[in-house]
Amino acid sequence: MDAYHPSLRLDLDGDALVANWRWLARQSGPAACGAAIKADGYGLGARAVLDRLAKAGCRDFFVSNWAEAAALMPLADGLSLSVFHGIGESDIAIASTVAARPVLNSAAQIACWQAHFPGRACDVMIDTGMNRLGVPLGSMGDIDLASLTIDTVMSHLACADEDRAMNAGQRDRFAAVRAGVPAARASLANSAGICLGSAYAFDLTRPGLALYGGVPRREAAGHIARVAHPAMQIIQLRDVLAGESVGYGATFTADRDMRIAIVHAGYADGLIRALAPHLVLNVGGAQCRVLGRISMDLIAIAAPESAREGDWAELDYDLPSLAAATPLNQYELLTGLGARWERRWR
Ligand SMILES: *Cc1c(COP(=O)(O)O)cnc(C)c1O
């Protein structure tokens, strides 16, 4: 992360990250527990996440594309990296220099891999009902798996975060098709899938969200710790008189004389305007609310008398409750934060 500004701080709790992975690993039973670190580790920093989890014993990592994989090279001995989007003609050059496996998603991707990298290890994704990526169940008979060196055969659950009959249906279809695939390992569960129980774990699980403090299902509540703590600096204090308004659209009018603080962060930093009524900022122990509209780079908050310019306002960034109250889901709340936050691991 290069373009950060020291007035926006994203404090990242490395112990919480590792504790979350350990809980997910325990819930995975005898299956190995990997880590999805796509989209730069859900916005927190893929390299830092990989280093911390590898030290804790995690061996299997997943990114979306080859550029993300290349950014993690060289990989330490014993680590495995898979590229969810597979391979296309435009990836051949980079794939020849990057030690990762594609997750092959179609007959065309399989043919491409066989043509350019015969014998090199790969993974295969089978679509058991989500209709996103993966070889459709109906075309399994048309593809030549025997000539591939398959490390992991995978599928992905469409609604593991909900109690739906589709979950068991996908699991059973995956178990049936997996039996005929010459792969060393099978993998189905994301964070929510791990919470569905050991029948979903197979040989390898692939959590993302819950590593970073997201709570995918009620079973994880109380076990998953917050990792990301945004804080922003007060760049100006002002006194607003009763009857005066604050910010764009003059949507907030003071009903008394009050002290307000302007902090450096806004919707360009992922704090979209719809979050405004739900954000609570801690300034020196006082709980402060947003006043009026969030701007691109600035937010006005009620400030305690003790506040000083340069003080920090810590945002109570509780992913499950913010997701429940706003249009953003927990994934968007993490990945939307943007490049201006200084990521600081502790
Ligand atoms: C992103 C992703 C995961 C991780 O999902 P979470 O819901 O974040 O745990 C696992 N598998 C695939 C194929 C993914 O795309």
Side-chain angles (χ1 to χ4, degrees):
M1 289 288 168
D2 301 315
Y4 70 79
H5 188 276
S7 290
L8 297 85
R9 219 170 66 198
L10 191 58
D11 289 321
L12 297 165
D13 186 337
D15 292 339
L17 172 79
V18 167
N20 291 341
W21 180 77
R22 292 214 166 102
W23 184 80
L24 291 158
R26 276 198 302 283
Q27 300 311 113
S28 300
C33 182
I37 54 171
K38 59 197 186 190
D40 200 24
Y42 289 44
L44 306 190
R47 165 58 69 185
V49 170
L50 181 145
D51 288 346
R52 278 167 178 77
L53 293 183
K55 216 166 151 197
C58 182
R59 292 290 167 261
D60 296 278
F61 295 89
F62 305 88
V63 292
S64 286
N65 60 51
W66 289 92
E68 291 180 350
L72 295 168
M73 297 295 124
L75 217 53
D77 281 351
L79 300 188
S80 146
L81 183 63
S82 297
V83 178
F84 280 140
H85 293 186
I87 190 90
E89 289 297 336
S90 59
D91 299 316
I92 301 303
I94 187 167
S96 61
T97 68
V98 170
R101 297 189 306 272
V103 181
L104 301 176
N105 285 297
S106 66
Q109 289 200 352
I110 289 170
C112 177
W113 187 249
Q114 281 170 327
H116 290 280
F117 303 100
R120 182 172 155 189
C122 62
D123 299 333
V124 171
M125 176 72 74
I126 296 171
D127 176 25
T128 53
M130 187 172 181
N131 279 306
R132 194 175 64 169
L133 291 177
V135 180
L137 276 180
S139 43
M140 287 298 289
D142 309 334
I143 57 176
D144 175 20
L145 294 174
S147 61
L148 292 173
T149 305
I150 307 175
D151 183 293
T152 303
V153 59
M154 301 179 195
S155 192
H156 193 49
L157 296 164
C159 34
D161 55 339
E162 296 173 21
D163 295 322
R164 301 266 290 269
M166 187 170 176
N167 294 326
Q170 284 195 275
R171 178 199 63 200
D172 294 347
R173 287 191 288 281
F174 182 59
V177 70
R178 184 268 175 277
V181 176
R185 304 187 291 179
S187 174
L188 176 65
N190 61 350
S191 301
I194 291 170
C195 296
L196 293 175
S198 56
Y200 290 79
F202 292 85
D203 304 312
L204 170 65
T205 58
R206 313 186 301 267
L209 180 71
L211 295 171
Y212 310 110
V215 180
R217 288 181 58 93
R218 59 187 176 281
E219 293 87 347
H223 299 289
I224 293 298
R226 223 186 279 193
V227 175
H229 302 266
M232 46 215 128
Q233 217 164 11
I234 295 175
I235 57 181
Q236 196 171 111
L237 287 165
R238 340 177 42 92
D239 292 310
V240 172
L241 301 177
E244 291 184 346
S245 66
V246 174
Y248 281 126
T251 60
F252 173 82
T253 301
D255 60 4
R256 60 192 159 82
D257 295 355
M258 62 188 297
R259 168 67 58 89
I260 74 168
I262 310 298
V263 298
H264 184 355
Y267 55 75
D269 306 299
L271 305 180
I272 67 166
R273 296 196 330 180
L275 289 174
H278 309 286
L279 297 183
V280 177
L281 292 98
N282 180 329
V283 180
Q287 306 294 303
C288 305
R289 291 280 178 181
V290 174
L291 305 176
R293 287 188 186 152
I294 292 174
S295 304
M296 185 182 296
D297 317 297
L298 298 166
I299 298 176
I301 60 175
E305 283 302 324
S306 60
R308 295 287 170 269
E309 289 174 0
D311 284 356
W312 288 87
E314 294 162 3
L315 178 57
D316 183 8
Y317 210 55
D318 182 55
L319 299 174
S321 63
L322 284 173
T326 72
L328 295 180
N329 70 17
Q330 297 181 68
Y331 301 79
E332 293 168 309
L333 285 163
L334 284 171
T335 59
L337 285 172
R340 290 201 296 191
W341 300 90
E342 179 185 4
R343 274 82 175 156
R344 279 213 217 170
W345 287 90
R346 52 171 152 93

